[in-house]
Amino acid sequence: MFQKCLRASSRRILSSEQLHIRNLSNYKPHYYTEENRQRSVEYMNKLSSSRRKGELLAKFAKQSTKQHAVLVSLCVVDNEESLLFTERSYDMPTHKGQVSFPGGGVHDDETIIEGCLRETEEEIGISRDNVEIWEILPPIPDQTMTSLVYPVVGNIGHIDVEQLNVCPREVEKAFILPLTFFFDQQNVGYTRFRRKDKRGTYLTPVYLSKPRVWGLTALAVDITLGILAPDRYSSFSIKL
């Protein structure tokens, strides 16, 4: 997969110099400060080691499950703190055109973080050396209940989306949404899913962007912002 994308562009993996954008001196971090990073990581660590996660992993350990990892991509675009998303290619066998974070399946010989960084390089061309890993959030089961998806929160710094070398076989496009978009309640809705075992339904957030952010990706956004920006964002999933 990776080799096919590499042949399409010899500059597939971008260095920090290639990702450099203008007017960085004007950027004043608000939520991406070192102090807020430390506070957020501390809470994420507690969340990841919670009893709920242990019970979930024990349940799925009894099944033949797959592991996936996605990078919840904190970034700065034009001096504005944002999140980076991808829209999946319409040539993909599953989830065509859906919004996601960069990521994919974790190989048996990889850690969650290693698989996440490898998939990020393959899909959007950002070197693993340019990602500051914060923490791994508790895994989220997919809708089929056969796979666990691990959101890995990481900061990829200042980027220019137009300079990203996306893998066209997997990614239709990459785009960003500023954090302020999610703070506006008019941009936030909810959708209801029926459980696979038909024992009731459950609600998840949906963000009314174009294209819309929903499903597992929206859940990862909700948890991340609930920790990162509790003064501006009211999380559906967690309460600080």
Side-chain angles (χ1 to χ4, degrees), residues 25-86:
S25 61
N26 295 330
Y27 169 61
K28 295 181 180 180
H30 185 73
Y31 291 105
Y32 296 171
T33 63
E34 177 60 22
E35 180 181 2
N36 200 39
R37 185 194 71 81
Q38 292 180 6
R39 181 197 60 78
S40 298
V41 167
E42 181 179 358
Y43 189 87
M44 291 175 188
N45 186 49
K46 291 179 181 178
L47 195 65
S48 295
S49 58
S50 67
R51 179 180 176 182
R52 177 181 177 277
K53 178 185 177 182
E55 293 174 346
L56 181 64
L57 291 177
K59 176 182 177 181
F60 276 85
K62 299 177 183 179
Q63 306 176 26
S64 178
T65 60
K66 301 176 182 178
Q67 290 187 335
H68 292 75
V70 297
L71 183 66
V72 181
S73 308
L74 313 180
C75 63
V76 178
V77 176
D78 292 334
N79 299 320
E80 188 166 17
E81 293 171 334
S82 307
L83 294 177
L84 174 71
F85 299 90
T86 61

Side-chain angles (χ1 to χ4, degrees), residues 32-201:
Y32 296 171
T33 63
E34 177 60 22
E35 180 181 2
N36 200 39
R37 185 194 71 81
Q38 292 180 6
R39 181 197 60 78
S40 298
V41 167
E42 181 179 358
Y43 189 87
M44 291 175 188
N45 186 49
K46 291 179 181 178
L47 195 65
S48 295
S49 58
S50 67
R51 179 180 176 182
R52 177 181 177 277
K53 178 185 177 182
E55 293 174 346
L56 181 64
L57 291 177
K59 176 182 177 181
F60 276 85
K62 299 177 183 179
Q63 306 176 26
S64 178
T65 60
K66 301 176 182 178
Q67 290 187 335
H68 292 75
V70 297
L71 183 66
V72 181
S73 308
L74 313 180
C75 63
V76 178
V77 176
D78 292 334
N79 299 320
E80 188 166 17
E81 293 171 334
S82 307
L83 294 177
L84 174 71
F85 299 90
T86 61
E87 182 179 0
R88 288 172 62 88
S89 169
Y90 289 89
D91 294 328
M92 294 293 285
T94 60
H95 308 297
K96 304 173 187 233
Q98 291 187 11
V99 172
S100 65
F101 287 116
V106 177
H107 297 165
D108 292 339
D109 60 348
E110 293 179 316
T111 66
I112 296 298
I113 291 177
E114 287 171 345
C116 179
L117 294 177
R118 173 184 53 77
E119 286 284 347
T120 297
E121 286 190 356
E122 293 178 11
E123 290 188 359
I124 60 175
I126 292 181
S127 168
R128 64 193 67 197
D129 296 331
N130 292 334
V131 182
E132 178 190 52
I133 296 296
W134 284 24
E135 186 56 80
I136 304 173
L137 295 175
I140 304 172
D142 69 357
Q143 196 171 2
T144 65
M145 303 296 285
T146 59
S147 179
L148 286 176
V149 180
Y150 288 81
V152 180
V153 181
N155 192 339
I156 59 177
H158 294 268
I159 65 167
D160 183 339
V161 178
E162 294 182 358
Q163 289 188 19
L164 294 178
N165 283 317
V166 302
C167 177
R169 185 167 100 51
E170 299 184 63
V171 177
E172 187 72 18
K173 68 177 180 180
F175 67 96
I176 65 99
L177 291 172
L179 297 190
T180 52
F181 172 87
F182 301 97
F183 299 159
D184 186 345
Q185 287 300 307
Q186 293 186 347
N187 295 327
V188 183
Y190 298 95
T191 186
R192 186 179 296 275
F193 290 94
R194 182 174 297 280
R195 297 185 185 278
K196 186 181 179 182
D197 58 11
K198 298 183 180 180
R199 296 178 181 177
T201 60

